[in-house]
Every structure is written in C-alpha cells, then in structure tokens.
Amino acid sequence: MKRDLHFYYDISLTFGGPVTQHAFVLRCLPPTFPGQEILDVTLDLDPRVPYARQRDGFGNLLQIGQVEEPHDHFRYTVQGTARLDLSRRVEEPCHPVFRYPSACTAVNPAMEAWLKTLPLPENPAERAWTLAQEVRNHMTYAPGETGVTTTAAQAFNTGRGVCQDFAHVYLALARRAGLAARYVNGLPEGEGASHAWCEVWLKGFWVGIDPTRNRWTDESYLRFGVGRDYWDCPMERGVFFGPPEQTQRVFMRVSRQQ
C-alpha cells in the first residue's frame, strides 16, 4: 500500500580535541529504486565542505569528502520525503555473494548444531519466516553489550545484542540454510536511531524481514543501504589526524504524511 514518509536523520560526532585531514564516506542519502521513490532530500554538513556523489558496488549512494581544517565536531543532517509502494517492486537477479558467509556472518559449530535442531520448512518463504522467529526467540535485545565489530557467532553465543546483531545472526543462519539474504541499513517509521534488518531473495524479489521485531517489512521501512553485512553499508566511516576519542549522538524521526 502506497505510503509517503517524511524522514529526518541527524548524527553528531564530537571529538576529544581538534582533528584535521578528516576524510569521510557517508551513506546517509536513501536511493530511489522500484518500490522506493525519493521525492526530495537535503543533506547539511557541519563543518560545511563540498562532497562528491558516487555509488558503490551494491548500488548504495556515497557522499565522499574531506575536512582539512581543525575541527572538534562533525555533524550531518538529512531530511526529505519518500514514497514507498512495494507493489512497484520488480524482479532482480541475485548476486551469488549473498549466499555465502562474510566476515561478520560466518557460522560457528554451535550455530551449525542449533540450526540442525530447527524444523525448517522446505518452502523458502516459510523457511525464512520460521528462521526469523527462531532467531528472535534465541536473542535478547540488550543495548550497549555489543559493538560494530561483534560477529554473528559472538552474538549468537551470548544470545544478546541489538538490531545489527539480530541481523548478522539471521544472515549467517539463513545463508547456511540455503537462502540468499542481505543486510539492510535504514530507518523505520517512528523515532529513535537507525535500524538494521534483512532482505531475503524469494521468487526473484528481495523481500524484507526484520528478525529484531519479528515481522516482514512493509512501506514503513525506508532503505538506505544494503550489503553482505554491516561493514558494506555503514552510514558513516572516516579517518582523521587527532585524538581518537569521540562521542556520537544519533536521532531519527520518520512520520507518515497524509
């Protein structure tokens, strides 16, 4: 069902002191593709610097730039309007890379043994859904106990993590169970922080599934980036000269338009 969403996304980094030669790569602009149309969007950077636009190998939009002068903060704010209509999706080929483990989604012996105990259906869509429910039952949402370097195996062993960990665990097991699946970074309807979920390739279509919230995705989910795991599509990456300490503040809001 068609839905228009207004989105606002704001990330502020504060450094431990002045930094220089700060090179950054952002994936903070959602792309247009069948099923998701970006009607308008703006990106504001602080400090204000020019940036180039490119696409990576997964089709994600990149914003690439550098802040040469000393600065103690870096902030980027995105806002715009998107039209979501999943009935407009088209069939897509599936690259084989989404069928195999990545650095963060390798299966360990404990995961392998657990997977063998699950009553997974033969039908791919039913298998994808059953697996999402099993992952949700195994994992406990626990902010602050994992980080961006936490692997699927580590999160599975503790049974605790955040949406990124739920997605990594799901991807590892789904691929091992014969499904093609990919990581998705984006914003769901509501307020808070960015979110991670998965997409499974079913009958030629990429279909979203959210193991953290135990649901198939719909027009309330705005996609920013996709990849094999988190490291293929982070919202922001950068290198700089200066103190390594930094704090991050994140806020997002996605609301439905009448």
Side-chain angles (χ1 to χ4, degrees):
M1 182 175 65
K2 183 174 71 174
R3 184 177 303 186
D4 287 356
L5 299 175
H6 180 267
F7 57 93
Y8 174 87
Y9 187 57
D10 181 77
I11 291 186
S12 178
L13 298 173
T14 302
F15 303 107
V19 303
T20 59
Q21 299 182 49
H22 177 190
F24 61 85
V25 177
L26 307 179
R27 290 177 178 84
C28 65
L29 294 178
T32 289
F33 53 86
Q36 176 173 295
E37 180 184 4
I38 306 305
L39 303 178
D40 61 81
V41 65
T42 60
L43 168 60
D44 292 318
L45 298 178
D46 179 18
R48 287 185 175 274
V49 292
Y51 62 90
R53 299 193 184 199
Q54 298 180 17
R55 284 186 183 265
D56 65 17
F58 298 102
N60 304 317
L61 298 178
L62 304 181
Q63 303 81 51
I64 303 171
Q66 183 159 319
V67 186
E68 296 282 357
E69 300 301 321
H71 57 290
D72 60 7
H73 70 279
F74 180 67
R75 181 177 182 179
Y76 55 100
T77 306
V78 178
Q79 55 185 323
T81 307
R83 177 163 295 162
L84 282 295
D85 185 355
L86 297 186
S87 68
R88 299 182 66 85
R89 290 181 301 186
V90 298
E91 291 190 43
E92 299 179 62
C94 175
H95 196 286
V97 72
F98 296 120
R99 296 186 180 275
Y100 299 100
S102 62
C104 284
T105 60
V107 175
N108 66 6
M111 299 172 75
E112 187 83 53
W114 186 76
L115 186 62
K116 291 179 179 178
T117 68
L118 302 183
L120 297 180
E122 288 294 323
N123 178 277
E126 294 176 2
R127 192 185 323 156
W129 175 243
T130 299
L131 188 58
Q133 292 178 303
E134 295 289 351
V135 170
R136 183 64 183 85
N137 291 335
H138 176 80
M139 298 289 292
T140 298
Y141 192 82
E145 297 190 17
T146 57
V148 294
T149 61
T150 303
T151 66
Q154 291 169 334
F156 179 86
N157 286 345
T158 63
R160 302 172 69 81
V162 292
C163 58
Q164 172 185 299
D165 305 297
F166 281 66
H168 281 162
V169 170
Y170 182 83
L171 291 174
L173 295 167
R175 292 168 184 165
R176 191 69 183 91
L179 298 168
R182 64 188 185 183
Y183 185 96
V184 185
N185 202 358
L187 306 179
E189 192 171 338
E191 291 188 357
S194 59
H195 189 51
W197 61 95
C198 305
E199 288 181 342
V200 181
W201 194 65
L202 300 172
K203 296 182 178 180
F205 293 87
W206 284 107
V207 181
I209 191 167
D210 186 345
T212 307
R213 300 183 176 186
N214 196 30
R215 58 175 292 189
W216 296 102
T217 65
D218 57 16
E219 285 87 353
S220 65
Y221 283 73
L222 181 63
R223 194 178 92 189
F224 277 64
V226 299
R228 295 165 299 173
D229 57 33
Y230 165 83
W231 290 106
D232 284 335
C233 53
M235 288 284 194
E236 183 266 336
R237 295 183 75 174
V239 293
F240 52 82
F241 287 99
E245 299 82 12
Q246 57 181 287
T247 57
Q248 184 185 76
R249 182 183 60 81
V250 180
F251 177 76
M252 77 85 184
R253 180 176 59 247
V254 177
S255 56
R256 192 181 312 189
Q257 302 296 292
Q258 299 298 324

